[in-house]
Amino acid sequence: MITYILRRLLVSIPILLGITVIVFFVASKMPGDAVLAMISTETPQAEDLIKLRRGQLGLDLPIYVQYFRWLGQLLQGNLGFSFQTGESVIDMLAARIPATIELMGTALLIAIVIGVAMGVVSALKQYSRIDYTFTFLGFAGISIPDFFLGMILVYLFAIEWHFFPTSGISTAGDAYSLSDNLRHLVLPAFALGLVRTATFMRYTRNSVLEVMNNDYVRTARAKGLNEWLVITRHILRNALIPVVTVIGLMLPVLFGGSVIIEMIFQWPGIGLMFIGAVTARDSPVIMGYVLFSAVIVQMSNLLTDIAYSFLDPRIRYD
Amino acid sequence: MSAVTPSQHQETEAMVAGEGLWVKARKRFLRHKLALLGLVILSAMVLLAVLAPVIERYSPIALDLGSMGQAPSGAHWLGTDTTGRDVWSRIVHAGQVSLSVGLVAVSISTLIGIVIGSIAGYAAGKVDMVLMRFTDMVMAFPSLVMIITIASVLGPSIYNTMLVIGILTWPGIARLVRGQFLSFREQQFVLAARSIGVSPFQIMFRHLFPNVVGTVTVAATFGMANAILQEASLSFLGLGVQAPTPSWGNMLQDAQSQTILEGMPWLWLAPGLMIALAVLSINFIGDGLRDALDPRSSL
C-alpha cells in the first residue's frame, strides 16, 4: 500500500514537470512581456531602456535558461508579479481561493447529493417511468450550457421573484454576515452544480445495477433481511465506492465551469481573476492560475486513487 | 445511460442469419427512439443552417436602427436585438457557424487522438509510455481553462476556435484507441499479418483500425456535443467567434446585461435553447450509436 502511494507520487513528478514546461512555453508565446508593460514606448531612449531592463530580468537569455530560472523561482513559491498591479501572483491567488472553494465545494456537494440520490432511485426502479424521466433529465443536464442555466436562474429567482441577489458574494456596504453570503451563493452554486449532477447519476445508476445482481445481495434478501437494510448495507456500501472516482473526473470540469459562473455572477474568486487577466493580457496571472488549476487536478487524481485503494481493499496494487 | 434505452431489454429478437454487422447496427440504432428524435431535430437544424441565406428574412449583420429591441412579432419572428438585427436570421446563420465549428473541432481532435492512440497502442513499450505520459499532461489541464488561455494567445477568430478546441480535446480518444490496440496487438490475426511481412502501417490501418471504428464514432459524436458547448463558452467569453459573425455563444454574450436579461428575454432564450437542443440531439444520437456500435460498453 505504502509502496503504491510512493510510486504513484513518483509518477506524478514528471507529469508536474511536464505541466510546468507546457505552461512556460505557452507563456513565452503570449503577446506582451513584463518589460513592455513597465516601460512606455513614448519614453525617450525607450529602446535602450527596454534592452537594459531585459538584460536585468534575464529575458535575453536562451529560452531553456529562462525556464530553469523560472522553475527555480517557482519552487521557492514565487509565481511572478502581475503586469497590471505589480502584486505578487501567489498573494492574489491566496486572497481569492477561499471564495472559489466555497463556490466549487457547494456546487460539487449539490451535484453529488442530487446525482447519487437520482442514480440510486433510477437503478432500484430500473425501466420504470421514474427511471426514464431521470435519464431524460440527465441528458438535458449535460446538454445545457452552465452559463445559460445561470441566466435562467438569475431571470427567474433574482429578477422575477427577488429571492436571491443577482451577483456578488455579499451585499456591498453591509457588514459581513453568513446568511447574506449564503444567499449570494445559492444561484451560482446551483448553476455550476446542477448541470454536473447527470454524471454522478449515470455512474451511480450503473454501479448500483452491477452490485444489485451479486450473489450476496440475493443471499441477504433470501435470509429475509429488511429491504431497507439490503439497500443501505449491502448495495449502497459497495456501489458508491466507484462513485468516488467521479469526484476526481469532475474537478477539471468544475474549474472550467467556475471561470464562467464566477464571471456571470461577479463572484470574486480565482476564476474571475483569471478572466480579468485574460482580457488584460496579464500573462503572469494567467499562468499562475493555469499552473495552479493543473496542479490541483493532478493532486486530486492522486488523492482519488489513494482514497479508492483504502475504500476498496479488493484492489491490489503491486 | 445506454442501459435504460428501450432497446436493451428486448435484445432477444432473432437476427436473420448472415446479416451483416452494419445491418444489425442500423437495426439497433433505429430501435432507439430518442436517437431517432435526435436525428430528426439535428437534421432540421442542419437544414436551417444550410438554407440560412435562403430563409433569412433580414440581413443577420446589417444594423437597422429604426427597429431596435423589438419583441417577437409577425415581422420579426424572434424579435430584434439592441441594434435592430433580426434574431431569427441571426439564429439560423449562427447555426451554420456553431455546428461547423463543432464538426471541424471534433474532426481535428479525433484525427490527433487516432494517430497518437494507434502509435502508442501498436508500438507499446517505451513509445507507448512516452506518448501516454504526454497525454496525461495534456489531460491535467482543465480543458476549458487551457482553451481560453491558448485562444487568448492565438487571438480570437472562428478558425482559431476550431483549432484550439481540436488540439486540446484529443486525449480521450487517444486513450480509447490505444487501449483497444494494446488488447488486439497480440491476437492471432495481427501475428499472422506480421508474420507474412505486412507493414506496420498496413496492420494498424487495415487490421486493427476497423476494430475501433465503432467505439471511435461513438466517442466522436459525444465529442462533437462537447465541442459545441466549448465553442459556446468561448464565444460567450468573447474569445471565440467574433462579431459581427453570429454564433449562438456570442449572441448570448450580447445579452448579459441585466436590462436585456430582464427586458428582452427573446435575445438570450433563443440562442441558449438552440445550443441546448443541438447538444441534446447529438447526445441522443451518440447514445443510439453506442447501443448500435458498441453494445458491450456500459457507460
Side-chain angles (χ1 to χ4, degrees):
Chain A
M1 182 69 173
I2 290 182
T3 42
Y4 167 70
I5 296 176
L6 279 179
R7 229 194 27 236
R8 194 66 185 69
L9 272 172
L10 279 178
V11 171
S12 47
I13 290 175
I15 295 183
L16 286 173
L17 274 177
I19 289 171
T20 63
V21 173
I22 296 178
V23 167
F24 186 80
F25 177 75
V26 173
S28 70
K29 298 280 169 237
M30 282 213 152
D33 68 28
V35 178
L36 291 177
M38 283 184 292
I39 300 170
S40 152
T41 41
E42 313 274 287
T43 331
Q45 286 116 35
E47 271 182 35
D48 293 339
L49 264 175
I50 289 172
K51 225 176 193 168
L52 181 72
R53 198 76 187 101
R54 285 214 171 157
Q56 285 170 345
L57 289 172
L59 291 176
D60 49 358
L61 297 170
I63 187 100
Y64 63 90
V65 178
Q66 285 188 43
Y67 168 73
F68 283 110
R69 287 171 57 140
W70 174 78
L71 189 65
Q73 289 290 308
L74 191 69
L75 292 176
Q76 294 165 36
N78 182 4
L79 277 172
F81 300 90
S82 161
F83 287 170
Q84 284 172 286
T85 60
E87 227 181 315
S88 132
V89 174
I90 284 274
D91 292 347
M92 288 175 77
L93 279 171
R96 290 165 177 83
I97 284 170
T100 296
I101 292 181
E102 186 185 352
L103 175 63
M104 278 174 50
T106 316
L108 191 61
L109 202 68
I110 291 170
I112 294 176
V113 170
I114 301 181
V116 169
M118 283 170 82
V120 170
V121 172
S122 237
L124 294 177
K125 309 254 179 235
Q126 194 185 10
Y127 302 134
S128 69
R129 184 160 296 182
I130 196 163
D131 181 23
Y132 287 116
T133 312
F134 280 179
T135 304
F136 188 83
L137 284 178
F139 267 116
I142 52 169
S143 306
I144 295 179
D146 42 15
F147 50 91
F148 182 52
L149 183 63
M151 291 167 108
I152 295 176
L153 292 180
V154 169
Y155 181 71
L156 290 180
F157 297 102
I159 295 177
E160 289 288 301
W161 294 326
H162 301 286
F163 288 154
F164 301 105
T166 49
S167 64
I169 192 170
S170 59
T171 312
D174 287 11
Y176 175 84
S177 79
L178 185 66
S179 66
D180 180 50
N181 178 213
L182 291 180
R183 264 168 45 83
H184 281 82
L185 176 64
V186 173
L187 292 186
F190 270 93
L192 189 59
L194 274 184
V195 298
R196 268 109 206 160
T197 54
T199 315
F200 283 98
M201 183 183 94
R202 204 169 65 182
Y203 276 87
T204 308
R205 182 178 180 280
N206 274 293
S207 172
V208 171
L209 283 179
E210 221 164 84
V211 171
M212 258 167 63
N213 297 323
N214 272 331
D215 287 343
Y216 61 81
V217 175
R218 197 172 306 130
T219 312
R221 285 222 174 90
K223 73 183 184 189
L225 204 59
N226 164 316
E227 183 64 20
W228 175 249
L229 284 179
V230 175
I231 295 175
T232 51
R233 288 244 184 102
H234 294 257
I235 299 180
L236 291 191
R237 229 185 228 195
N238 290 297
L240 294 187
I241 292 172
V243 177
V244 172
T245 51
V246 185
I247 299 176
L249 289 177
M250 202 44 101
L251 216 63
V253 188
L254 274 177
F255 261 105
S258 73
V259 169
I260 292 184
I261 294 297
E262 284 185 10
M263 193 196 81
I264 297 179
F265 288 91
Q266 292 296 301
W267 186 265
I270 51 177
L272 187 63
M273 174 193 85
F274 170 66
I275 279 300
V278 167
T279 322
R281 303 194 164 278
D282 193 342
S283 64
V285 180
I286 299 176
M287 288 304 125
Y289 175 83
V290 173
L291 197 62
F292 176 77
S293 61
V295 170
I296 293 294
V297 168
Q298 200 52 32
M299 291 300 168
S300 79
N301 286 343
L302 187 68
L303 281 180
T304 311
D305 282 2
I306 293 172
Y308 199 78
S309 65
F310 270 109
L311 288 172
D312 193 344
R314 282 171 305 184
I315 296 174
R316 298 292 298 260
Y317 302 91
D318 32 44
Chain B
M1 251 178 255
S2 65
V4 201
T5 50
S7 59
Q8 285 220 333
H9 56 297
Q10 316 164 347
E11 211 61 82
T12 44
E13 171 197 334
M15 297 266 187
V16 183
E19 241 178 13
L21 203 61
W22 293 103
V23 179
K24 280 186 195 162
R26 202 178 61 223
K27 278 197 169 167
R28 277 198 293 262
F29 184 82
L30 291 178
R31 271 202 312 247
H32 194 300
K33 293 200 185 69
L34 286 179
L36 284 181
L37 180 70
L39 198 61
V40 170
I41 297 176
L42 188 70
S43 314
M45 291 178 106
V46 171
L47 206 66
L48 282 183
V50 172
L51 295 178
V54 184
I55 52 174
E56 70 174 27
R57 302 173 22 102
Y58 301 88
S59 156
I61 291 168
L63 312 185
D64 177 6
L65 299 181
S67 55
M68 291 185 325
Q70 287 181 4
S73 64
H76 297 279
W77 294 344
L78 292 175
T80 59
D81 69 5
T82 47
T83 52
R85 293 175 296 194
D86 180 54
V87 175
W88 164 256
S89 307
R90 282 177 68 72
I91 285 279
V92 290
H93 276 273
Q96 229 172 38
V97 174
S98 298
L99 292 173
S100 45
V101 169
L103 190 64
V104 175
V106 86
S107 311
I108 297 175
S109 74
T110 306
L111 193 71
I112 302 178
I114 289 173
V115 170
I116 292 192
S118 314
I119 297 177
Y122 183 75
K126 284 219 176 71
V127 177
D128 174 45
M129 205 197 73
V130 170
L131 285 176
M132 282 303 112
R133 289 294 88 76
F134 177 63
T135 310
D136 285 347
M137 280 169 210
V138 176
M139 279 180 91
F141 295 99
S143 64
L144 188 60
V145 169
M146 209 53 181
I147 287 173
I148 293 171
T149 309
I150 298 194
S152 80
V153 172
L154 295 179
S157 83
I158 182 168
Y159 301 106
N160 286 346
T161 306
M162 296 169 174
L163 194 69
V164 172
I165 298 176
I167 56 175
L168 286 168
T169 49
W170 54 266
I173 290 187
R175 293 182 116 185
L176 214 70
V177 173
R178 175 239 178 205
Q180 300 262 311
F181 269 36
L182 275 182
S183 70
F184 284 128
R185 73 188 291 272
E186 296 303 335
Q187 285 191 18
Q188 296 203 328
F189 68 96
V190 179
L191 295 180
R194 206 177 297 158
S195 70
I196 55 167
V198 179
S199 76
F201 178 77
Q202 286 266 338
I203 294 180
M204 279 194 254
F205 195 70
R206 300 269 299 270
H207 299 265
L208 288 168
F209 187 67
N211 291 297
V212 300
V213 169
T215 330
V216 168
T217 310
V218 175
T221 309
F222 288 119
M224 168 138 180
N226 211 22
I228 291 180
L229 281 178
Q230 312 261 40
E231 181 274 326
S233 304
L234 206 56
S235 300
F236 178 74
L237 291 170
L239 294 163
V241 178
Q242 295 294 295
T245 310
S247 93
W248 293 329
N250 71 19
M251 289 178 75
L252 278 168
Q253 186 204 9
D254 298 337
Q256 272 183 76
S257 77
Q258 200 174 326
T259 39
I260 292 180
L261 209 57
E262 187 174 2
M264 300 181 230
W266 61 88
L267 277 188
W268 54 273
L269 273 175
L273 287 175
M274 289 302 273
I275 300 172
L277 209 57
V279 175
L280 187 65
S281 330
I282 297 174
N283 278 330
F284 281 154
I285 296 172
D287 197 49
L289 286 176
R290 183 163 47 195
D291 275 2
L293 302 174
D294 196 13
R296 275 163 305 174
S297 86
S298 60
L299 275 176

